[in-house]
Each structure stands twice: as C-alpha cells, then as structure tokens.
C-alpha cells in the first residue's frame, strides 16, 4: 500500500527508484520523440495536401457528438482523424523520453526540463490545431501551427544531443567569428522556413475542397523569394565549410556542415521539381519532410561547434585501495 501511494503521489520518482535505463535506452527514447516530431509534421502535411483539413470539422470531437469519424465522412474524415490519433503516439514518445531521462543515474534536471518543454509544446500545438479547424483552416494559424512544430523539433534535437553530453557550460570548438557565421546561417535558415509557410498559406493547397481563405499575396512571387533565400542558405553553408577548413576546425563541425550542404542540394532539387510540375501533392509532401531534415541538419551544425564533455564517473575505492591511501597519507 505505501508503494502504491508513493506511485500515485510522484510516479516519475517511483519509477526512477526501481529502474535505471542504460545510456543507449535513454538515447533511443529521446530519438523516438524526435522521429515522431518529424512524423507529425509529415502527416499534418498529408492532411492538408489531400484536402482533409476539415475532414473532422469540429474539435476536440470529430463531428457533432462523435469523437470518431462516421462512414458518411469518407476518406477525408479518416485521414484527419488518423493525424489526430498520431498526436497521442507523439505524446507517448515524449512521455517515454521524459521517464527515461528522469530515471537515469545520476539525475539530470536539464534533460528532464527539455522533456517537459517538448510535452507542453505538443499540448500548445494540439490546442492551436483545434483552433485552426474551428476557424476553417485560417492560413495564419496554419503557419504558426507549422512553426510551433519546428520549435518542437528544435527541442527534441537538443534533448537527443544532450544525452551524449555533460551539464558543464559549453566550450566553443571554433572562434567567435565562425560562431557568428553559424548564427547567421541559423537566421537565414529560419527565414527560409518561415517564408515557406507563407508559400503554403498563399498557394493552391488550401487543405480543403471548400472556399478556404488564403494569404492575399502572389504565391509565385513568395515562392521566388523562398528560392532566393534557399540559395543564400546554400552560400552561407559553403562559406562556413571553407572557413572551418581554413581555421583547421575539428572534424565534427566540418562533417556536419558537409551533411547540411548535401541535404540542401537534395531539398533544392525537390523544390524545383515541385515548382515546375505545378505542385503535385506527393512532391510537396516530400518537400515538407525535407524541410524538417534541413532544419535538423542545421541544428546539428550549430551543436557541433561546441562541446560539453561528460563528467568522469566517480571512483569509489575498494577496501584494498582505501588501505593503501591511508598508509600513504600517514
């Protein structure tokens, strides 16, 4: 009975008292949260691209008094409802990550906070998603919905990376000018993603077959700005790679910058294909997935520019070692 009371009062602490996950388990748990953060973006895009944004026209219920779609709602209701259910899978993945980092020894408050930040970001985006449905797919709330998903991905990447690091203040591996170039790359990539959401909000894929309000700008002009920003990001990535080689930076930042360049080239090909083929749904969905990978690759570049070494495990001397230490001291 006391154990049950303890579990009810503080379940995470009770689990931590009885289970110590391995570092590999903690890393897999945080990676699962990151993977699901990307999956929910892609499936959300599928909802929009199939015109299923109002497949479940109410929230939190699907339609009327029903929590699930009816047969009369057809495939659009099933698609929208499936995406809603995947939110619970995302919550489960984030929950597993929180439990794993809370149970590892020694306890690291910084990782637990990152886990809870993910959880509350999921909740906030779920609420915004419901509001988006209730406002008939308002394009501005759709844009914010997408950007919040990228904040979630950012936190998930940071948490995943921090599982292999310590909690000491970060030590830079490159000089301040190189760091500033990295931050400029981050800013440009953020603008690239933000302008991409405007293209979505103004473009032909409104998310539903009904008359859905669009952002009142010429989407082709915004798409051109999006492409121009993409080339700026590519140029900054190439510049960063050359600078890292010139200053003989560690191999980590150089490899991550190379990876970002390759991802950008792949994403650029997809982007031009979708533009010149009149935005086919499958290619647009692939481009949305690519946007997530570009953002993750950029974050890995920035995280590779500093290090937080893991603290050396404390060595508890055995009886023989203790005896030796005493005799030396004497």
């Amino acid at each position: 009975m006391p154990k049950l009371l303890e579990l009810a009062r503080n379940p995470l602490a009770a689990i931590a008292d009885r289970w110590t996950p391995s570092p590999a388990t903690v890393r897999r748990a945080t990676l699962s949260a990151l993977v699901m953060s990307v999956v929910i973006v892609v499936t959300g895009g599928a909802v929009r691209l199939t015109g299923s944004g109002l497949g479940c026209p109410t929230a939190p219920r699907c339609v009327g008094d029903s929590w699930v779609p009816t047969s009369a709602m057809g495939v659009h209701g099933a698609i929208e409802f499936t995406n809603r259910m995947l939110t619970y899978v995302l919550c489960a993945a984030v929950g597993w990550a929180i439990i794993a980092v809370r149970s590892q020894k020694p306890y690291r408050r910084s990782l637990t906070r990152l886990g809870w930040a993910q959880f509350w970001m999921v909740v906030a985006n779920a609420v915004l998603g419901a509001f988006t449905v209730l406002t008939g797919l308002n394009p501005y709330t759709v844009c914010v919905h997408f950007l919040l998903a990228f904040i979630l991905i950012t936190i998930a990447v940071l948490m995943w990376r921090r599982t292999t690091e310590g909690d000491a203040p970060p030590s830079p591996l490159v000089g301040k000018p190189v760091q500033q170039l990295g931050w400029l790359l981050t800013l440009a990539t953020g603008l690239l993603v933000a302008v991409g959401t405007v293209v979505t909000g103004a473009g032909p894929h409104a998310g539903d077959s009904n008359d859905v309000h669009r952002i009142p700008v010429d989407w082709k002009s915004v798409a051109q700005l999006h492409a121009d920003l993409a080339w700026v990001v590519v140029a900054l990535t190439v510049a960063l790679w050359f600078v890292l080689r010139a200053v003989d930076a560690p191999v980590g930042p150089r490899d991550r910058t190379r990876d970002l360049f390759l991802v950008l080239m792949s994403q650029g090909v997809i982007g031009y294909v979708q533009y010149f083929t009149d935005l086919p749904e499958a290619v647009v969905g692939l481009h949305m997935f690519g946007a997530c990978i570009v953002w993750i690759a950029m974050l890995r570049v920035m995280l590779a520019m500093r290090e937080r070494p893991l603290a050396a495990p404390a060595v508890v001397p055995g009886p023989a070692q203790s005896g030796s230490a005493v005799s030396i001291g004497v």
Side-chain angles (χ1 to χ4, degrees), residues 39-299:
V39 168
I40 204 71
V41 172
V42 176
T43 57
V47 170
R48 186 173 190 82
L49 294 169
T50 57
S52 305
L54 296 178
C56 286
T58 63
R61 291 180 173 84
C62 185
V63 59
D65 293 330
S66 176
W67 291 91
V68 298
T70 63
S71 57
M73 299 169 66
V75 66
H76 294 306
I79 292 173
E80 164 65 5
F81 182 73
T82 299
N83 185 62
R84 292 188 184 188
M85 292 300 99
L86 282 174
T87 301
Y88 294 102
V89 180
L90 172 59
C91 286
V94 172
W96 182 34
I98 292 173
I99 292 172
V101 299
R102 176 63 181 84
S103 300
Q104 68 176 340
K105 311 296 186 298
Y107 168 61
R108 298 176 61 188
R109 183 181 296 275
S110 60
L111 284 181
T112 306
R113 286 176 172 173
L114 287 171
W116 282 112
Q118 285 187 70
F119 173 79
W120 290 115
M121 188 57 62
V122 172
V123 172
N125 222 3
V127 173
L128 182 60
F131 184 73
T132 300
V133 170
L134 295 175
T135 56
L137 304 183
N138 181 289
Y140 299 102
T141 59
V142 170
C143 290
V144 177
H145 192 47
F146 187 78
L147 293 175
L148 284 182
F150 269 65
I151 295 176
L152 173 63
I153 290 174
T154 302
I155 300 171
V157 170
L158 182 58
M159 185 177 180
W160 176 52
R161 173 60 187 264
R162 290 294 310 280
T163 59
T164 61
E165 299 179 326
D167 288 324
S171 301
L173 296 176
V174 296
K176 189 172 182 179
V178 182
Q179 295 178 54
Q180 291 172 338
L181 180 57
W183 283 114
L184 183 60
L185 172 62
T186 302
L187 175 62
T189 308
L191 286 174
L192 176 66
V193 172
V195 173
T197 66
V198 179
V199 177
T200 302
H205 295 298
D208 190 77
S209 58
N210 295 319
D211 184 18
V212 175
H213 175 63
R214 315 301 292 134
I215 296 177
V217 295
D218 179 16
W219 73 267
K220 290 188 177 181
S221 298
V222 182
Q224 182 61 56
L225 174 61
H226 182 64
D228 294 341
L229 280 171
W231 282 114
V232 170
V233 172
V234 170
L236 288 172
T237 301
V238 172
L240 179 60
W241 186 80
F242 275 110
V243 169
L244 288 170
R245 288 186 61 86
V247 300
D248 196 24
V251 67
R254 283 185 286 151
D255 285 352
R256 298 292 79 78
T257 305
R258 176 207 59 202
D259 295 344
L260 174 59
F261 175 78
L262 295 176
V263 170
L264 285 169
M265 289 295 97
S266 301
Q267 178 74 336
V269 170
I270 297 170
Y272 279 111
V273 167
Q274 71 169 358
Y275 183 81
F276 289 112
T277 55
D278 295 326
L279 303 178
E281 288 81 359
V283 181
V284 176
L286 186 61
H287 193 62
M288 292 183 67
F289 172 71
C292 297
I293 303 304
V294 166
W295 187 249
I296 291 171
M298 184 279 301
L299 291 172

Side-chain angles (χ1 to χ4, degrees), residues 298-322:
M298 184 279 301
L299 291 172
R300 295 187 72 198
V301 169
M302 296 303 296
L303 291 172
M305 289 189 186
R306 88 288 184 277
E307 64 177 353
R308 274 189 168 105
L310 284 168
V315 178
V316 179
Q321 293 173 312
S322 299

